[in-house]
Amino acid sequence: MKPVIYVTRKIPESLLEPYQDQFAFRMWEKADEPVPRDVLLKEVNDAEGLLCLLTEQIDRELLDHAEKLKIVANMAVGFDNVDVAAAEEKGVTVTNTPDVLTATTADLTFALLMATARRIVEASEYIKKDAWENWSPYLLAGADVHQKTIGIVGMGRIGQAVASRAKGFDMNVLYHARSRKPDAEQELGAVYKEFDELLAEADFVVCLVPLTDETANLFDREAFGKMKRSAVFVNVSRGGTVDENALYDALTDGTIRAAGLDVFKGEPISADHQLVKLANVVALPHIGSASEETRSKMLKLCLDNLAAVFNGKDPLTPVNNG
Ligand code: NAP
Ligand code: GLV
């Protein structure tokens, strides 16, 4: 009997094909809609492996329904949607997808930073709504990026890849994390700062921490109050790291200049979300790692993690000890 693997979204058959001999795949049939919770709870009942997305909450209730489950292969590097402690208690391995998405997410982070600073989306909309009548000196003038100071909060894989892009723009790189990163200091000239110092000195504050109890609402009213009035805030981490009401106030009362946001609390958000309505916000629908190549690599890594575990090998990218 091949182990049953439940895949929580319709993914290309061509990706599953090389693993068909080994696994009995069952799959939610929609590509653009998450599996309903009640269906998921039923499907995990006899599943030995789960390939899931960040749209699924893999909590204790689900794990209680999944007595045969050996591995949760989460198609994301962030795993705040998984109760890792509960999985560990039940001997379930959890894996994520680090590294394969680092460069793609760093590209998007830098694109979002540039788009926000130079008002690219607003400028494009300006033409589309037929508002361009004259060229004038300060028409849609934004902020320079080159030779400014970027402050990266969360200097891990993606944070460091953003820093290397920033160096290409002659930026001064500051960073904050719980531990010093000697390689980034040596190779990228990044300078360690306490959180408050970074907020006070950076022209661009970029959030790339994982969402944990410690980082929940890290960017609150006090944090925005410490930034420069000209600061641009960029969040490609998780919406949960930001107090969105405090951010709204900071953007509307001139505490900070603008924000570029790829992630939100309570995704998906709609067009009437208070932050999306602001002209000084560039909002994206959580597309950090969304290149065709990288999304396929992430899915393949999930499948390779499943294969490793069922072949009695160590998973390639474990989050816990299983
Ligand atoms: P990573 O390599 O683990 O980096 C995380 C960094 O955050 C580390 O430098 C860590 O350093 C630091 N950190 C952790 N807790 C902290 C805290 N309390 N205060 C300050 N720094 C802290 O992870 P990654 O691969 O770069 O990914 C980072 C996050 O980006 C993911 O967890 C995910 O949420 C998000 N992400 C989003 C997208 C998207 O599509 N928007 C795509 C990919 C990833 P220390 O341990 O030394 O503190
Ligand atoms: C995406 O948000 C990820 O964590 O990979």
Side-chain angles (χ1 to χ4, degrees), residues 77-78 101 105 154-159 176-179 181 208-210 214-215 236-238 262-263 286-289:
V77 66
L101 50 55
T105 309
M155 192 66 157
R157 291 167 290 241
I158 302 170
H176 176 73
R178 293 166 305 176
S179 60
K181 313 293 175 198
L208 279 164
V209 288
E214 225 181 340
T215 61
V236 184
S237 143
R238 286 288 182 272
D262 184 44
V263 285
H286 201 146
I287 56 164
S289 62

Side-chain angles (χ1 to χ4, degrees), residues 189-234:
V191 176
Y192 177 84
K193 293 281 171 181
E194 292 302 329
F195 185 55
D196 289 357
E197 290 176 325
L198 179 148
L199 298 181
E201 292 176 33
D203 298 302
F204 296 90
V205 176
V206 179
C207 174
L208 279 164
V209 288
L211 176 60
T212 61
D213 289 347
E214 225 181 340
T215 61
N217 292 322
L218 179 66
F219 291 91
D220 58 8
R221 210 165 289 279
E222 211 185 322
F224 292 118
K226 286 177 180 153
M227 293 181 192
K228 295 181 180 178
R229 289 182 82 79
S230 55
V232 172
F233 174 65
V234 176

Side-chain angles (χ1 to χ4, degrees), residues 62-77:
L62 181 138
L63 293 165
D64 284 342
H65 274 72
E67 286 189 350
K68 294 187 175 172
L69 199 62
K70 291 194 175 65
I71 166 170
V72 172
N74 196 42
M75 188 212 169
V77 66

